[in-house]
């Protein structure tokens, strides 16, 4: 038995009729113990953002913990789903042939597109604005913030050059976000997958930042923290690994 669902062999009992019913009802769970989406997960910043989207979509999904602190992401069985050996990854069972995806940005785009929510239609300027901020998170926020946290929390001894460089970049990125949120309530104008991607990675205490210096970020965080789906996503993360530092909501 796995988290929030049952063991995978249950899928073998699904008939063609049940699969067709599942497809026609999109997100609705149509068979006891069968979930349309499997989420391979650990409650880090990257794991949480996919969990937030699935909760916002009210999707029926099975959360399958991959304990990265014990090296579970290195197992061959997981790497058949996530070629890069990193969480999160999903398997979408709504299709005739189940689709597996890794990389959180790709997963967010796929799920939002499939549901027609939190990502504007293809070809629109609004969609490109969401993509702009989603890729900013993937290309800048995660690499620099994760390295900063690594050097601050796990280095055997302080490395001043690395810390100075990464602290300066964290401050720069916070200022970019602060300026954007002075103009709009959410990074792409409307609440979207871009906000879901950025939100779990803004962890001021770990990143040497004071939210008092960033009133627009603070207000944005309060708006997102108040969303029931976000609260559910974090609660499920605590059920998996309550001690993960990414779960702290300042």
């Amino acid at each position: 038995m796995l988290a929030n669902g049952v063991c995978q062999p249950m899928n073998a009992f699904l008939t063609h009729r049940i699969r067709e019913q599942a497809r026609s009802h999109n997100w609705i769970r149509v068979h006891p113990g069968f979930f349309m989406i499997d989420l391979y997960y650990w409650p880090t910043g990257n794991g949480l953002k996919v969990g937030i989207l699935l909760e916002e979509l009210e999707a029926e999904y099975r959360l399958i913990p991959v304990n990265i602190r014990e090296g579970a992401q290195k197992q061959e069985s997981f790497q058949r789903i996530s070629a890069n050996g990193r969480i999160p990854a999903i398997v979408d069972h709504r299709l005739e042939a189940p689709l597996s995806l890794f990389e959180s940005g790709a997963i967010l785009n796929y799920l939002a597109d499939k549901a027609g929510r939190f990502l504007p239609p293809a070809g629109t300027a609004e969609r490109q604005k969401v993509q702009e901020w989603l890729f900013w998170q993937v290309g800048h926020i995660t690499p620099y913030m994760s390295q900063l946290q690594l050097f601050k929390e796990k280095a055997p001894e302080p490395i001043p050059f690395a810390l100075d460089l990464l602290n300066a970049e964290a401050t720069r990125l916070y200022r970019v976000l602060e300026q954007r949120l002075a103009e709009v309530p959410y990074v792409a104008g409307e609440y979207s997958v871009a906000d879901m991607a950025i939100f779990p990675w803004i962890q001021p205490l770990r990143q040497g930042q004071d939210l008092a210096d960033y009133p627009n970020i603070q207000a944005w965080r309060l708006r997102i923290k108040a969303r029931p789906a976000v609260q559910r996503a974090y609660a499920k993360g605590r059920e998996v690994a309550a001690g993960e530092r990414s779960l702290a909501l300042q």
Side-chain angles (χ1 to χ4, degrees):
M1 186 77 69
L2 293 172
N4 294 334
V6 297
C7 295
Q8 189 67 23
M10 207 45 194
N11 295 352
F13 294 97
L14 292 175
T15 64
H16 178 74
R17 179 178 177 183
I18 290 172
R19 287 188 182 277
E20 287 302 312
Q21 185 181 359
R23 196 173 291 111
S24 66
H25 286 77
N26 197 17
W27 294 100
I28 298 176
R29 178 175 156 186
V30 297
H31 189 277
F34 177 70
F35 291 80
M36 310 297 280
I37 304 285
D38 284 341
L39 170 60
Y40 292 81
Y41 163 97
W42 198 250
T44 63
N46 279 343
L48 285 164
K49 56 188 176 183
V50 176
I52 289 171
L53 176 57
L54 286 168
E55 290 295 329
E56 291 282 9
L57 294 173
E58 298 183 286
E60 288 290 348
Y61 69 98
R62 176 172 61 171
L63 196 158
I64 303 175
V66 178
N67 191 335
I68 62 173
R69 306 309 175 197
E70 296 180 354
Q73 73 277 18
K74 299 176 184 178
Q75 294 177 1
E76 183 180 348
S77 59
F78 176 66
Q79 292 189 359
R80 284 196 294 269
I81 296 165
S82 175
N84 194 41
R86 295 291 185 270
I87 61 95
I90 65 166
V91 178
D92 186 348
H93 295 284
R94 294 172 295 176
L95 310 175
E96 190 65 36
L99 172 68
S100 64
L101 283 176
F102 67 96
E103 285 300 317
S104 57
I107 294 169
L108 291 176
N109 272 335
Y110 171 77
L111 291 173
D113 249 344
K114 195 82 171 171
R117 296 179 63 196
F118 305 114
L119 182 62
T124 62
E126 291 81 6
R127 184 188 182 94
Q128 297 312 312
K129 190 56 63 176
V130 172
Q131 295 299 290
E132 175 180 65
W133 287 98
L134 176 60
F135 279 83
W136 178 75
Q137 185 275 318
V138 170
H140 293 273
I141 289 287
T142 295
Y144 285 101
M145 297 304 185
S146 62
Q147 290 299 306
L148 174 59
Q149 290 164 189
L150 179 70
F151 279 99
K152 284 171 65 78
E153 297 167 1
K154 296 187 177 180
E157 58 185 40
I159 304 174
F161 175 79
L163 289 172
D164 289 347
L165 175 70
L166 293 167
N167 277 317
E169 185 63 7
T171 298
R172 188 189 74 82
L173 292 169
Y174 268 71
R175 287 174 178 168
V176 169
L177 183 58
E178 174 70 7
Q179 179 57 44
R180 177 58 178 166
L181 292 171
E183 302 164 356
V184 289
Y186 297 102
V187 293
E190 301 291 332
Y191 181 60
S192 72
V193 292
D195 298 283
M196 299 177 207
I198 298 167
F199 177 81
W201 277 101
I202 301 301
Q203 301 173 37
L205 293 180
R206 300 180 74 190
Q207 296 156 357
Q209 303 295 320
D210 185 348
L211 282 183
D213 297 330
Y214 306 101
N216 295 309
I217 293 178
Q218 188 170 33
W220 169 80
R221 282 180 61 77
L222 288 173
R223 286 192 292 274
I224 295 178
K225 281 197 297 184
R227 296 182 69 89
V230 173
Q231 294 173 19
R232 291 196 303 270
Y234 275 75
K236 288 186 178 180
R238 293 185 190 99
E239 291 175 7
V240 171
E244 280 293 320
R245 292 179 176 178
S246 293
L247 290 165
L249 279 171
Q250 296 102 313

